[in-house]
Amino acid sequence: MDGDSIIRDTDGRQPRAWPEDETLIPDWIYTDQDTYDRELEKIFLGRHWNYVGLDCEVPEPGNYFRSYVGPLPVVVTRDMDGEVHVFENRCAHRGVEFCREYRGSADSFICPYHNWTYNLQGDLTAVPFRRGVKGHGGMPKDFDMAERGLRKFHVATRGGVIFASACDDMESIEDYLGPVICPEFDATFDGGEMKLLGVHRNILPANWKLYQENLKDPYHATLLHTYLTTFGLFVSSNESNIPTDKYGRHGGLLSRRPDGRPDVSSEDAENMQAFKKTMELNDPRVLDFVREFDSKWSGSVLTIFPTLTALRQTNILNTRLLVPRGPNEFMMIWTVFGRAEDDEEMVRHRLRQNNIFGPAGFLGIEDNEALKFLQDGLRKSLPRDGLALLGDDDEPTDTIITERAIRGMYRYYRDVMGF
Amino acid sequence: MDKNTALRDARLEIEEFNYAYADTLDRFDVDSWVEYFTEDALYHVIARDNEESGLPLGLIYCEGKAMMKDRAYALLNTEMFAPRYLHLSITNTRALKIEGDLIDAAANYTLIETLVEEPSRVQQVGKYRDIFKRTPNGLLLQERKCVFDSVMIDNCLVFPV
């Protein structure tokens, strides 16, 4: 597709252009329908591994669940041989989104409209009245079932995490994540058997990229979130690291919480409105830390381009899938898990701690509200460029008052999108 | 007193309780909300698909009043969220079983939220599965499990239901 035509402003205004200055991010990338359409082609169907779910969501042969590649509905299945498959949730006949359950178990999928039937690999296995009735009607003689299956994606898994790609010659997940991020990914997804605890879903009225930015933004983490700062989960005085891969597309916010309360300087405390030095919990069990991973970091947030964030914070383990629904809205699917060896008390500990995250969590409420306010500003006000000025691009990666990782993502984004 | 009369009396009592409970939350008085529960109560808000799949994850999961107090403190003192009006309706209240000082009960609830310059919208609709306890201070909740149908949450749930 011709790159110039897709970003051309159809109202006769000037073509959209990216500012020369890399600390400026233009508004239109968050609100523009043409840009959104181009992301489908260049990003979600491009040279990327799209996170779609976890092995522990399809533990048994025949299990399936609904998921998405970018905005496209897919079904993730485990076939009778234990292989995981990802295919479009759209009948090859007329396009019906046939799988309507959140999750379940089946040996085939039957489109309810005309009963076209698919197996767990996404192959078409039956078409009613294929030969017509009494020699009349039916499919053309050369109708080939093998050519009419569901659109399938390539699948790769690593550490129990399932990825899908439309690209025929994708590199391995290890190479996709790169040597900086892959070890941090492996530290959380260490091959131990995971156990699904549940799923949250919410609609966030904001562009999907803002969520990736939010988790590449240590600046806000120290300012907006009382729970992170006051209880030392992520705070200026922690040992921290903000690595990115060589392209800038994946990143991490890594932090090591202190034993006890954080030792925040009075100067830093003054800067952090959210920091409540004297706040005490009535039930401090919420913050208990059971050491279970071979990692120096007690908190690890990974942003894996395009739409995965993976969180390990104390004993909270979750993945978040960002599902774009137009430029101004996305759905989040939070998949929360523990480990197969968890006893009843450990499960309850994780459930208690999960009050911090999720769409009613102490951080979740604040992030979701902030991003809604941000999209309101982008959508309604006179266009301008957002600022991502903090820190330098060549500074040490343990610098936390920085927007380096956001600039890195947009360097990559511009390259892929041809902007 | 026969069984049906006892259940009817309990229902009336629980309805009074639920109306006061809803009014307390409509006024954002989460400090008082905590006082509707026993010390070791379980307050659990869970999506219906998780509940029906046997998955325990809660949107909110408070084991004991202390955890509820911590949530109340955070909402009133530290959390950042948009100003809003809340309208919690509790209907279809039923007393199901009385055993000693415990009453199993159920009700439907609807939380309508109204934000600044936005139309009112349903934030959550679900069912309470309750265990009430008769105490010297009147009825208190020993357990309130809120199973919500509105699995797809509109942005975020700020206040408890």
Side-chain angles (χ1 to χ4, degrees):
Chain A
M1 197 176 292
D2 182 350
D4 290 338
S5 67
I6 206 160
I7 59 164
R8 191 183 60 235
D9 197 339
T10 49
D11 311 330
R13 283 178 281 149
Q14 292 300 305
R16 294 175 187 86
W18 204 290
E20 285 294 310
D21 183 346
E22 286 201 333
T23 65
L24 301 179
I25 304 168
D27 275 2
W28 50 264
I29 64 164
Y30 305 109
T31 57
D32 177 48
Q33 185 67 43
D34 289 343
T35 302
Y36 176 83
D37 294 343
R38 192 177 174 86
E39 286 170 350
L40 175 62
E41 179 203 344
K42 299 290 185 186
I43 294 177
F44 305 118
L45 297 178
R47 286 200 68 84
H48 297 104
W49 280 116
N50 298 276
Y51 162 76
V52 292
L54 299 176
D55 259 340
C56 64
E57 295 180 84
V58 279
E60 303 295 333
N63 287 166
Y64 70 87
F65 62 94
R66 284 169 63 92
S67 186
Y68 293 84
V69 168
L72 305 177
V74 299
V75 184
V76 181
T77 66
R78 185 178 298 279
D79 70 18
M80 293 308 167
D81 298 325
E83 286 291 307
V84 174
H85 301 268
V86 179
F87 44 77
E88 234 185 341
N89 187 358
R90 183 181 197 275
C91 181
H93 177 213
R94 300 302 302 271
V96 167
E97 189 180 308
F98 56 85
C99 173
R100 312 298 298 188
E101 303 278 344
Y102 293 114
R103 61 185 76 84
S105 204
D107 51 18
S108 63
F109 294 96
I110 303 175
C111 177
Y113 198 9
H114 303 97
N115 295 2
W116 285 34
T117 303
Y118 304 92
N119 63 18
L120 293 169
Q121 290 87 28
D123 302 320
L124 180 63
T125 56
V127 173
F129 293 119
R130 195 176 155 193
R131 308 281 174 230
V133 173
K134 293 179 182 163
H136 297 290
M139 283 293 173
K141 284 207 166 40
D142 60 355
F143 179 80
D144 183 358
M145 303 268 283
E147 283 178 7
R148 303 288 177 175
L150 300 168
R151 177 177 178 154
K152 298 168 187 176
F153 292 86
H154 300 285
V155 177
T157 63
R158 187 174 179 89
V161 185
I162 307 166
F163 295 89
S165 179
C167 182
D168 290 332
D169 59 344
M170 275 302 290
E171 63 264 39
S172 67
I173 296 289
E174 184 180 0
D175 290 345
Y176 181 68
L177 296 175
V180 176
I181 298 299
C182 196
E184 297 303 336
F185 182 90
D186 291 346
T188 295
F189 302 102
D190 62 2
E193 197 184 331
M194 299 185 284
K195 188 169 182 2
L196 182 63
L197 295 179
V199 178
H200 300 303
R201 287 181 177 76
N202 67 287
I203 292 280
L204 218 161
N207 185 272
W208 66 276
K209 297 185 289 297
L210 292 174
Y211 207 86
Q212 291 290 32
E213 285 184 40
N214 181 60
L215 293 179
K216 291 175 186 290
D217 170 9
Y219 183 43
H220 98 281
T222 62
L223 296 168
L224 177 62
H225 301 308
T226 294
Y227 261 72
L228 286 188
T229 55
T230 303
F231 303 122
L233 303 180
F234 192 98
V235 66
S236 57
S237 57
N238 281 12
E239 184 186 355
S240 301
N241 195 28
I242 323 289
T244 55
D245 78 321
K246 69 175 175 179
Y247 301 106
R249 59 190 178 184
H250 315 308
L253 296 189
L254 311 172
S255 191
R256 180 151 74 151
R257 68 185 262 198
D259 297 324
R261 297 290 278 261
D263 182 19
V264 171
S265 74
S266 53
E267 190 193 339
D268 283 4
E270 250 174 58
N271 268 313
M272 293 188 289
Q273 202 189 353
F275 182 72
K276 309 279 182 200
K277 191 170 195 288
T278 57
M279 179 174 168
E280 294 289 347
L281 291 179
N282 290 291
D283 190 343
R285 288 180 303 173
V286 168
L287 298 169
D288 285 352
F289 186 15
V290 180
R291 281 167 212 280
E292 54 176 335
F293 289 95
D294 182 20
S295 168
K296 71 185 283 195
W297 309 112
S298 56
S300 162
V301 189
L302 302 178
T303 42
I304 307 301
F305 198 81
T307 48
L308 167 63
T309 75
L311 176 85
R312 171 168 61 80
Q313 172 53 258
T314 312
N315 299 113
I316 302 167
L317 304 170
N318 73 44
T319 54
R320 280 166 262 183
L321 172 61
L322 313 179
V323 182
R325 289 162 63 110
N328 292 296
E329 182 178 290
F330 66 97
M331 168 169 59
M332 293 178 68
I333 302 178
W334 307 61
T335 306
V336 180
F337 56 97
R339 287 156 91 78
E341 67 270 24
D342 289 351
D343 60 16
E344 195 188 331
E345 177 46 33
M346 188 65 186
V347 170
R348 281 165 46 166
H349 170 57
R350 293 195 206 273
L351 296 179
R352 288 192 295 266
Q353 208 159 63
N354 268 286
N355 280 290
I356 298 174
F357 286 89
F362 299 120
L363 271 75
I365 290 171
E366 293 172 332
D367 280 332
N368 293 11
E369 288 287 89
L371 295 190
K372 179 180 177 177
F373 300 172
L374 176 47
Q375 190 76 16
D376 277 344
L378 292 163
R379 235 167 12 98
K380 298 179 189 169
S381 303
L382 204 60
R384 46 157 276 188
D385 300 319
L387 303 178
L389 293 165
L390 279 82
D392 296 320
D393 288 343
D394 56 0
E395 66 202 352
T397 59
D398 61 358
T399 308
I400 70 161
I401 303 303
T402 181
E403 288 160 330
R404 172 174 49 80
I406 295 175
R407 289 191 295 275
M409 179 172 82
Y410 283 115
R411 211 168 289 131
Y412 179 74
Y413 178 83
R414 288 181 66 178
D415 186 42
V416 170
M417 294 285 285
F419 288 152
Chain B
M1 193 163 41
D2 72 29
K3 190 180 147 216
N4 287 339
T5 310
L7 285 174
R8 192 180 311 122
D9 288 353
R11 171 172 62 78
L12 287 171
E13 225 177 322
I14 291 166
E15 277 183 336
E16 293 290 331
F17 178 101
N18 281 342
Y19 293 161
Y21 178 100
D23 181 61
T24 300
L25 286 173
D26 285 352
R27 288 184 286 104
F28 314 105
D29 185 1
V30 278
D31 283 336
S32 301
W33 164 73
V34 171
E35 301 306 325
Y36 287 87
F37 294 87
T38 63
E39 281 303 320
D40 60 348
L42 180 68
Y43 176 73
H44 195 183
V45 183
I46 183 168
R48 185 163 169 179
D49 74 307
N50 285 330
E51 171 74 3
E52 291 180 353
S53 299
L55 299 169
L57 177 71
L59 186 62
I60 302 175
Y61 177 83
C62 294
E63 271 180 11
K65 210 163 152 178
M67 282 188 74
M68 290 178 238
K69 283 182 184 163
D70 290 334
R71 188 165 275 270
Y73 180 87
L75 289 171
L76 297 177
N77 297 284
T78 76
E79 287 291 301
M80 190 288 286
F81 51 84
R84 64 198 62 217
Y85 301 138
L86 299 179
H87 179 115
L88 178 61
S89 295
I90 306 176
T91 61
N92 305 46
T93 301
R94 287 180 303 152
L96 301 172
K97 193 174 82 180
I98 303 173
E99 239 176 48
D101 56 359
L102 298 179
I103 307 168
D104 285 4
N108 289 2
Y109 70 91
T110 307
L111 175 64
I112 296 173
E113 258 187 354
T114 310
L115 280 75
V116 172
E117 290 177 4
E118 290 187 26
S120 300
R121 75 213 197 295
V122 175
Q123 168 58 251
Q124 193 164 96
V125 49
K127 282 184 190 296
Y128 293 137
R129 300 268 178 250
D130 294 331
I131 301 172
F132 284 91
K133 186 171 190 176
R134 223 173 258 296
T135 77
N137 301 321
L139 281 185
L140 290 176
L141 281 163
Q142 178 69 45
E143 183 175 326
R144 171 153 278 180
K145 189 180 206 178
C146 316
V147 182
F148 60 96
D149 296 352
S150 35
V151 167
M152 180 78 88
I153 295 155
D154 186 349
N155 207 27
C156 56
L157 177 74
V158 178
F159 286 90
V161 286

